[in-house]
Amino acid sequence: MITYVHNAKFIELGQALIFDGVKEAQWGMHSKSHVYDDDKIFVGTFNIDNRSSFYNTEMGIFCEGNQDLANDVLDSIKLRGIDNGLLITGPNKAVDANGNDTDPLGPATDKHRALMKGTKDILEILQFIL
């Protein structure tokens, strides 16, 4: 299996924006998209909150027999992963689209990293409430 992570940068697709400031935001995505053969796909839901650290409440849909749909999903994976993402090469290791070693957490700042770690610890303590 080949795993890509989006690099959190805005992808310019020529779309109209209400506010140009969104281009500077750090983008994140958590989805599961798979393409099998030429006409089979799986698309899974994203985690709406951190409960998924403890409870699997996600769902997905499997479709087969539609090559156009499979091509669209593959194009989306290529755009967000291969062309604008990080290839995960091992534990805490990744390379960018040019093959250069990079941080698998992408452009996350020290503040964001601390927040992610701190939230995880708090959620583990308060798991019984979730």
Side-chain angles (χ1 to χ4, degrees):
M1 176 168 49
I2 301 170
T3 303
Y4 292 92
V5 177
H6 186 268
N7 65 12
K9 296 177 183 172
F10 179 78
I11 299 174
E12 183 68 57
L13 298 174
Q15 65 272 46
L17 300 173
I18 295 172
F19 174 64
D20 280 337
V22 299
K23 292 180 181 179
E24 304 305 318
Q26 182 172 337
W27 288 78
M29 177 176 63
H30 181 94
S31 63
K32 300 106 185 145
S33 301
H34 310 237
V35 178
Y36 307 94
D37 300 326
D38 291 331
D39 67 345
K40 298 174 188 73
I41 64 154
F42 172 83
V43 177
T45 61
F46 61 94
N47 297 4
I48 198 161
D49 59 28
N50 288 330
R51 288 171 30 101
S52 295
S53 297
F54 307 107
Y55 304 105
N56 184 0
T57 56
E58 300 181 39
M59 30 185 250
I61 187 167
F62 183 84
C63 301
E64 66 178 305
N66 188 327
Q67 191 169 5
D68 290 336
L69 179 59
N71 287 337
D72 286 347
V73 172
L74 186 58
D75 287 345
S76 178
I77 291 170
K78 287 178 180 177
L79 174 67
R80 288 168 176 76
I82 297 170
D83 298 337
N84 294 287
L86 309 175
L87 170 63
I88 303 303
T89 58
N92 299 314
K93 294 183 180 181
V95 294
D96 63 18
N98 297 318
N100 300 315
D101 288 334
T102 189
D103 188 331
L105 292 179
T109 64
D110 289 341
K111 179 181 175 182
H112 286 119
R113 292 168 195 254
L115 182 62
M116 284 187 276
K117 288 180 182 177
T119 302
K120 180 182 179 293
D121 294 341
I122 291 168
L123 286 172
E124 286 180 5
I125 292 168
L126 301 175
Q127 176 183 356
F128 68 94
I129 295 173
L130 302 173

